[in-house]
Amino acid sequence: MNCEAQFKQQLEQLQQFVTDEKAATLQQLESVWLKNLDAKLTTGQTQAISGLQQIDKHSIRAQLGDNESRYREGDIVRLYLDDPLTGTSLTQLRIETVHEDEWLLRAHQLNTDSFRELKDGCFADPCFIDLEGLYQKALSEVAAMHIGRSIILPLLAGQLENNLVDEDLYDEAMLRLEEDEFNDPQRDAIALGVAAEYLVCIQGPPGTGKTRVIAKIAQLLTEKGERILLTSHTHMAINNALNKIKPLVVNTVKVGSLDSCSALNSDIERFTHGENWKNMPDNGYVIGATPFATCTQRLEDYSFDTVIFDEASQITLPLAIMAMRKGTRFIFVGDHKQLPPVVLSNSILDRSHSAFSALINNNNELSVMLDETYRMNQWLTAWPSRTYYQHALKASGPNQARRFPLSPPPGFASQILNPEHSLVYIPSPGTDAKNKNEQEAQLVERIILAALAAGLDCSDIGVVVPFRLHGKNIRQKLHKHAIGPIVVDTVERMQGQEMELVILSLCSTAATYLQALADFMFAPERINVSITRAKSKLIIIGPELDLNDFASASPHTRRLIQHYQSLITSAKRQEWIP
């Protein structure tokens, strides 16, 4: 089969896949909508909403009820009161931001009559925005473009010789990097980002400085006059990267809705459409935007020299193609050992079709792994390095041999906070706990108070929880002590953060509840992100699981349980008696 025929077949398969996945998504959603409401509330497939407040013609603030759900930023939901199929509803709402007790939802167009019926309380089920037209548009354009047939499709299929590097540009970049404190893999990644002809894949495990690498690549490319699109699956990831790029004296703007600029530094200009950037230079700039912006009036008429994908492990193949068709070179930065793509929202493919995974496997000639973590000490690095990174990840820098910096006074937490034990496991107290564990919340409270009494600052403490209600209970207990803010949040909100002391509080002890949620709670990517936030002390409070209790579970679920058991047996066990 010649190349043209092969690429035609490849595109037809992708186009058919988009259509098939849309049908499968609708079938899956309808099966959820028809389930018993109480069961959906218990398993987190539905979120109770206690009230709605309209902010403007496109935005709604939703006050969350007491049950726990699995929704996160970027997911699409539908709000309804009685029957999710035939009753009053608001559909195709995107969760723009997630706060402690509320969501910010965005609608393309808000039906005010339906809003009035739902505003005093309703329920949220999963939904989706029909993006098939945008995906098909991107695929059709790629098929018609020379760069699509000659570069993008061969890259995705692993059929393009991807080892071409401009040696002069590479050497020039390496010379520039002698002035900065980068390690060898970081220098190699940056220089390849400047000099590779088509593609570089950069794997950045926790604490290895991937955002700093992105910023330096952007600086060196814009100095050469390149136009760069910095993109990702969420606005938060884009904004975090732009915050690192801007201080390097780079022309940097954000394009998107004005409510998509959460946590974006105030010195970065933001526009709803690219054409609003009136003083836009001819070249040498970075625009941050989602891939969808390239298919709409926001950026449809723009083209770029290089497209940089951040958090690339969460970007699916169709989403990547949207942005790729606007560039000629591509830099994917991510870690497929951390959180996978969001399903039933921006993506119509599952995590096995992550663009990063496909590209790093098919084009490993120019793939670089950043293998030195400057966050975790060597004792905290050991288990994730062995389990996720084939022993390649190593602790470096000042934190390598650093222990927890404070010695607690004699008493309740003296062994738990003992600097000699960086990784500590405490069996969860309480019985039959589901998404709230009062005794465990009290334990977390006491550990934090002991750490503060020993001299640790509030900003050096973080608590990772699987359930919003459990996190809220912990925050309420801490609030009454009139101490400064301490981050207590879910793993999705903790990715990218780091603290001296991190407590992973898994909450649940009810056997049937754990069996139902095992694939969610003990997913390796979630565990990896949760345990790699700490610099010198990680305390895991979790259930003791018996594999016999999962005899009827799938082989995949049983492997997850064994994975979790391996983690807690590698820790120093401490008992707690309330």
Side-chain angles (χ1 to χ4, degrees):
M1 183 182 298
N2 62 43
C3 290
E4 285 295 326
Q6 185 171 4
F7 294 151
K8 180 181 178 181
Q9 183 183 55
Q10 180 185 5
L11 276 168
E12 288 174 348
Q13 289 174 346
L14 281 169
Q15 290 167 336
Q16 185 60 48
F17 191 81
V18 167
T19 301
D20 292 345
E21 284 298 313
K22 175 186 173 181
T25 297
L26 282 171
Q27 183 178 14
Q28 181 181 355
L29 286 172
E30 289 177 358
S31 70
V32 172
W33 297 340
L34 292 171
K35 284 184 179 179
N36 174 270
L37 178 60
D38 289 338
K40 291 192 293 184
L41 289 168
T42 299
T43 58
Q45 290 177 301
T46 292
Q47 174 65 60
I49 305 293
S50 60
L52 301 175
Q53 176 188 354
Q54 185 174 350
I55 300 173
D56 56 39
K57 63 181 181 180
H58 296 294
S59 302
I60 300 173
R61 182 175 289 111
Q63 198 68 31
L64 304 184
D66 288 338
N67 82 295
E68 291 291 339
S69 69
R70 308 179 191 181
Y71 297 105
R72 66 196 200 195
E73 182 180 310
D75 285 352
I76 308 301
V77 297
R78 62 184 295 155
L79 305 183
Y80 67 96
L81 187 56
D82 298 312
D83 188 327
L85 288 178
T86 61
T88 300
S89 65
L90 290 170
T91 64
Q92 300 186 21
L93 301 172
R94 184 183 300 278
I95 303 176
E96 290 283 349
T97 56
V98 177
H99 298 295
E100 178 178 339
D101 293 314
E102 67 179 31
W103 292 339
L104 178 65
L105 301 173
R106 184 169 181 82
H108 179 67
Q109 189 168 356
L110 190 61
N111 184 311
T112 54
D113 291 336
S114 297
F115 175 83
R116 279 194 291 268
E117 290 189 45
L118 300 174
K119 68 182 181 65
D120 294 326
C122 54
F123 301 97
D125 270 7
C127 190
F128 88 125
I129 295 176
D130 187 356
L131 300 171
E132 182 181 10
L134 295 184
Y135 286 116
Q136 298 289 12
K137 173 183 177 179
L139 290 172
S140 296
E141 289 187 3
V142 164
M145 299 167 62
H146 173 72
I147 190 172
R149 297 190 304 272
S150 63
I151 298 177
I152 296 176
L153 293 176
L155 278 177
L156 296 176
Q159 295 179 356
L160 183 68
E161 185 180 0
N162 184 44
N163 57 4
L164 300 177
V165 176
D166 187 315
E167 296 295 341
D168 291 336
L169 288 178
Y170 183 91
D171 292 342
E172 180 185 336
M174 291 294 278
L175 187 63
R176 280 285 306 276
L177 293 170
E178 290 180 0
E179 307 167 9
D180 299 294
E181 294 182 358
F182 290 103
N183 60 43
D184 289 343
Q186 289 173 335
R187 290 190 180 94
D188 187 36
I190 294 167
L192 288 174
V194 172
E197 184 171 6
Y198 301 125
L199 171 75
V200 177
C201 292
I202 302 171
Q203 184 182 2
T208 54
K210 69 178 184 61
T211 309
R212 189 165 169 251
V213 165
I214 289 173
K216 195 64 179 181
I217 292 173
Q219 180 192 21
L220 296 183
L221 289 178
T222 53
E223 286 178 357
K224 297 181 180 300
E226 287 211 12
R227 303 158 298 165
I228 297 174
L229 173 65
L230 186 283
T231 192
S232 190
H233 67 302
T234 66
H235 291 289
M236 186 62 70
I238 295 168
N239 296 346
N240 288 339
L242 293 179
N243 290 342
K244 288 282 189 181
I245 294 171
K246 178 66 174 179
L248 300 182
V249 197
V250 175
N251 292 315
T252 305
V253 300
K254 173 70 185 296
V255 171
S257 62
L258 295 181
D259 56 6
S260 70
C261 297
S262 175
L264 186 68
N265 288 349
S266 59
D267 62 338
I268 297 176
E269 291 185 279
R270 66 278 321 260
F271 303 104
T272 56
H273 295 77
E275 63 188 21
N276 298 140
W277 190 8
K278 300 304 182 185
N279 60 343
M280 178 182 181
D282 293 333
N283 48 41
Y285 59 80
V286 175
I287 292 180
T290 65
F292 292 111
T294 69
C295 270
T296 69
Q297 292 180 347
R298 296 191 192 280
L299 286 175
E300 191 170 24
D301 297 329
Y302 289 74
S303 60
F304 301 88
D305 300 300
T306 298
V307 181
I308 301 177
F309 295 85
D310 192 16
E311 300 289 1
S313 58
Q314 298 187 58
I315 296 174
T316 59
L317 209 51
L319 202 57
I321 288 173
M322 278 187 197
M324 291 176 79
R325 78 192 206 289
K326 291 296 184 178
T328 58
R329 303 175 64 252
F330 315 104
I331 301 171
F332 285 77
V333 187
D335 182 11
H336 49 302
K337 302 299 183 180
Q338 298 189 58
L339 293 179
V342 176
V343 177
L344 300 180
S345 58
N346 290 351
S347 168
I348 56 172
L349 300 174
D350 62 29
R351 69 186 183 187
S352 66
H353 292 86
S354 159
F356 185 78
S357 296
L359 287 167
I360 202 169
N361 290 330
N362 291 338
N363 299 276
N364 54 20
E365 300 97 331
L366 290 183
S367 298
V368 181
M369 176 178 161
L370 309 179
D371 61 5
E372 296 184 44
T373 176
Y374 295 90
R375 177 186 301 158
M376 301 173 287
N377 65 23
Q378 59 187 299
W379 300 281
L380 292 179
T381 302
W383 191 84
S385 178
R386 179 174 68 250
T387 306
Y388 302 117
Y389 302 107
Q390 292 76 48
H391 299 273
L393 185 64
K394 53 184 178 292
S396 297
N399 279 358
Q400 179 182 7
R402 187 168 168 273
R403 297 283 190 175
F404 188 61
L406 303 169
S407 295
F412 146 77
S414 59
Q415 286 304 308
I416 295 174
L417 296 177
N418 186 337
E420 290 301 310
H421 309 303
S422 293
L423 177 57
V424 173
Y425 168 67
I426 306 172
S428 288
T431 57
D432 296 322
K434 294 181 179 179
N435 61 353
K436 182 179 179 181
N437 187 328
E438 179 63 25
Q439 286 184 282
E440 187 165 317
Q442 292 173 1
L443 172 57
V444 172
E445 174 191 19
R446 291 189 62 185
I447 293 173
I448 289 175
L449 292 177
L452 293 172
L456 199 62
D457 190 84
C458 290
S459 62
D460 283 326
I461 303 173
V463 184
V464 185
V465 295
F467 308 117
R468 180 177 50 83
L469 192 60
H470 184 54
K472 181 178 179 180
N473 190 25
I474 293 172
R475 282 188 292 271
Q476 288 174 338
K477 293 183 182 303
L478 297 175
H479 180 71
K480 68 184 181 182
H481 296 288
I483 57 180
I486 292 175
V487 176
V488 182
D489 220 327
T490 60
V491 63
E492 289 83 6
R493 302 288 289 180
M494 294 288 280
Q495 183 158 339
Q497 299 195 50
E498 61 182 29
M499 290 89 173
E500 196 73 55
L501 163 66
V502 170
I503 303 171
L504 172 58
S505 179
L506 290 172
C507 178
S508 302
T509 57
T512 55
Y513 196 72
L514 286 165
Q515 291 164 10
L517 295 182
D519 288 3
F520 165 73
M521 288 187 61
F522 304 112
E525 300 90 350
R526 296 179 65 84
I527 294 292
N528 187 22
V529 175
S530 298
I531 67 172
T532 54
R533 306 303 97 197
K535 295 180 181 179
S536 63
K537 172 71 73 170
L538 172 65
I539 301 169
I540 300 172
I541 309 173
E544 294 188 276
L545 300 180
D546 187 339
L547 202 58
N548 293 326
D549 293 335
F550 294 83
S552 61
S554 68
H556 171 73
T557 300
R558 288 173 62 84
R559 285 194 296 272
L560 297 186
I561 301 306
Q562 292 174 315
H563 176 265
Y564 169 73
Q565 290 175 324
S566 167
L567 171 63
I568 62 177
T569 55
S570 71
K572 174 68 176 178
R573 183 187 176 103
Q574 295 289 343
E575 302 292 339
W576 182 66
I577 302 176

